[in-house]
Amino acid sequence: MSRSVTLHHLIYPAHCVHNAIAAYESLCKVTIVETQPDRTMVQIQTEVDINDSNVVGEFLNYLLDMSMESHFRES
Amino acid sequence: METKPCHISWVREFSDNELQVCVNLELYTRDALFRVCYVFTDRCYLFLEPKDAGDEVIVHFSRKTSTTDLSGIAGEFANELINQRIREEIARETRTIQELIVAQAFAEADLLDRTDSKASYIDDPRHIAG
């Protein structure tokens, strides 16, 4: 059970993506499928049906929070 | 997933489980957008997707619980965008006085010119009465 998500660096800086993947290591498997200068595509895998799981949403909220912190720290 | 008609015309897509709102970054700054998104992370899962040119961002909302009303979220989100934009504007307009207040609070010396502040209103040294 997996879902692919494209994360644009305008919103989600690359270092935040890596940090979020590391933080969610014990909850789900997030693999970087493709990296481009402006975006990173990840695949999120869960053991249960991904549609029944909130882990994708939680991962994205966590990543958004980290990205906000990074944005305000740098501005 | 069935897409429903939404009474809010500027909502890009609306269904039972997902709502998409397009935000123009020429009207609302990225700072404002981030602050607004943060307000909604307790009720929704959010995903931000810039459009090709990067001057618009599509905000995807999905509900955290079945009781969350996504159509209500759309209206709240739009109002909060305006709220944050105005806050930014007020912060910009009042930056000098804010800095002065903070500087005064932490300074040992008095930074303000108080030579006239204890004068009698009858003397009117600043000619306020004209």
Side-chain angles (χ1 to χ4, degrees), chain A residues 5-12 54 57-58 60-61 64-65 67-68 71-72 75, chain B residues 25 30-31 33-35 37-38 41-42 44-50 54 57 64:
Chain A
V5 184
T6 300
L7 303 163
H8 292 256
H9 298 162
L10 181 70
I11 304 294
Y12 307 103
N54 289 332
E58 294 291 349
L60 291 173
N61 271 14
L64 181 62
D65 189 50
S67 304
M68 285 178 206
H71 171 78
F72 287 117
S75 62
Chain B
L25 292 183
R30 205 149 45 109
D31 280 22
L33 176 61
F34 276 153
R35 288 180 202 279
C37 286
Y38 182 74
T41 51
D42 63 332
C44 298
Y45 297 120
L46 283 87
F47 175 60
L48 277 63
E49 181 186 20
V57 172
K64 274 192 175 181

Side-chain angles (χ1 to χ4, degrees), chain B residues 4 20 84 106 122 130:
Chain B
K4 289 180 171 181
Q20 292 179 21
Q84 288 296 338
F106 287 100
I122 297 168

